[in-house]
Amino acid sequence: MYPIDLSGQCGIILGVANDRSIAWAIADILSQAGARMALTYQNERLKDRVSGLAETLDDALLVECDATDDQQISQMFQRVEETFGEISFLVHSIAFANREDLSRPFAETGRDGFRLALEVSAYSLLPLVRHAAPLMKNGGSVVTMTFDASQRVYPGYNVMGTAKAALEHEVRQLAFEYGEQNIRLNAISAGPLETLAARGIHGFRDMKRMHAEKAPMGRNITAEEVAKTALFLCSDLATGITGSIIPVDAGYHIMAV
């Protein structure tokens, strides 16, 4: 049990793929802190994988939601409102790009692949926040996941770096627009972790090794460290923080050489 108490609070976690996903680490730690939550799955093919994890949480709600489908987004929030009444947090941990767009030169990214990566990985935050805000009746916290490739070149990350740059600007813009409603928006910039999505990045293992060698702490991070940061951001300990990109990377981001 963590010292932060979220008892009586409810929220939504989007992006749980399996037990190694960052979204799951966050869901697990928020549940340990007493929160009740809804977990989403993209389609029937992925439902069993997520439902098995949801069953380990205390009274979790499982809802289908393809973040590229506005109708499904609306229906998901309707289910959440009917079940919870209101929410205090939303975690957006969604990203996708075609595998071929992560393996060939960035200049060869097609129009459709570019559009898909930006729609899923960046644009999806907008309608989710738009629907979440009315349910955050006493304010709330939105947390999304980004990566250092938003600012620097990581060969193999390609169009996802562009998507993360767009996502980080959205965090700042939305933090401004929803600030008066006491809704905070922040992003966690995590170091490389062994997730399902990471497997699609060419040269990921080299990236992870170089991070550990260059980081001041001399190691890679853990999913639990990212989750603990999300727990902090979703709690009342972070009421003065919004529009921020918070690195959780063992200090890698401060190094030049």
Side-chain angles (χ1 to χ4, degrees):
M1 186 67 167
Y2 286 88
I4 295 175
D5 185 5
L6 298 183
S7 298
Q9 297 190 36
C10 301
I12 304 170
I13 310 281
L14 298 105
V16 174
N18 57 31
D19 61 355
R20 301 187 73 176
S21 63
I22 294 173
W24 170 246
I26 294 172
D28 186 40
I29 204 169
L30 292 179
S31 179
Q32 291 181 52
R36 185 183 178 196
M37 66 202 74
L39 301 185
T40 69
Y41 60 94
Q42 184 182 11
N43 51 44
E44 285 296 319
R45 182 175 62 86
L46 300 174
K47 181 178 180 179
D48 289 345
R49 187 187 298 169
V50 181
S51 64
L53 294 171
E55 289 172 1
T56 68
L57 302 179
D58 186 19
D59 203 18
L61 175 67
L62 188 65
V63 192
E64 183 175 5
C65 183
D66 182 337
T68 66
D69 187 322
D70 288 332
Q71 184 176 1
Q72 284 197 30
I73 290 174
S74 179
Q75 291 172 345
M76 183 270 287
F77 276 97
Q78 185 176 348
R79 282 280 311 280
V80 168
E81 183 175 18
E82 290 170 353
T83 305
F84 296 160
E86 60 184 79
I87 61 174
S88 60
F89 62 85
L90 182 144
V91 176
H92 172 276
S93 187
I94 304 171
F96 180 81
N98 290 326
R99 184 177 291 271
E100 57 268 27
D101 290 327
L102 300 178
S103 59
R104 60 189 176 192
F106 177 56
E108 295 179 13
T109 306
R111 195 178 299 272
D112 289 342
F114 189 95
R115 183 183 297 116
L116 178 63
L118 269 289
E119 179 180 4
V120 176
S121 311
Y123 176 77
S124 60
L125 182 64
L126 271 64
L128 291 169
V129 172
R130 194 163 60 239
H131 282 80
L135 301 186
M136 293 181 167
K137 300 173 183 178
N138 297 304
S141 174
V142 177
V143 178
T144 189
M145 301 303 307
T146 187
F147 182 58
D148 192 49
S150 63
Q151 306 295 320
R152 297 170 179 82
V153 175
Y154 282 73
Y157 209 73
N158 295 4
V159 69
M160 281 303 302
T162 307
K164 293 301 187 184
L167 181 68
E168 290 181 12
H169 180 267
E170 288 174 28
V171 166
R172 292 185 286 270
Q173 187 74 30
L174 293 171
F176 161 70
E177 293 186 6
Y178 285 92
E180 291 187 355
Q181 298 180 44
N182 197 30
I183 295 173
R184 299 173 286 111
L185 289 102
N186 295 288
I188 298 173
S189 183
L193 288 166
E194 294 273 359
T195 64
L196 188 63
R199 295 176 191 170
I201 302 171
H202 180 69
F204 173 76
R205 293 191 181 281
D206 288 335
M207 181 193 305
K208 187 176 179 183
R209 175 181 53 78
M210 287 187 286
H211 261 252
E213 291 175 354
K214 184 176 176 182
M217 298 180 75
R219 63 171 177 84
N220 291 120
I221 61 160
T222 66
E224 183 183 17
E225 288 174 319
V226 178
K228 287 190 285 189
T229 305
L231 173 61
F232 163 71
L233 290 172
C234 288
S235 77
D236 287 345
L237 295 179
T239 53
I241 302 174
T242 194
S244 295
I245 313 299
I246 300 178
V248 182
D249 61 1
Y252 179 88
H253 70 285
I254 70 172
M255 301 303 296
V257 296

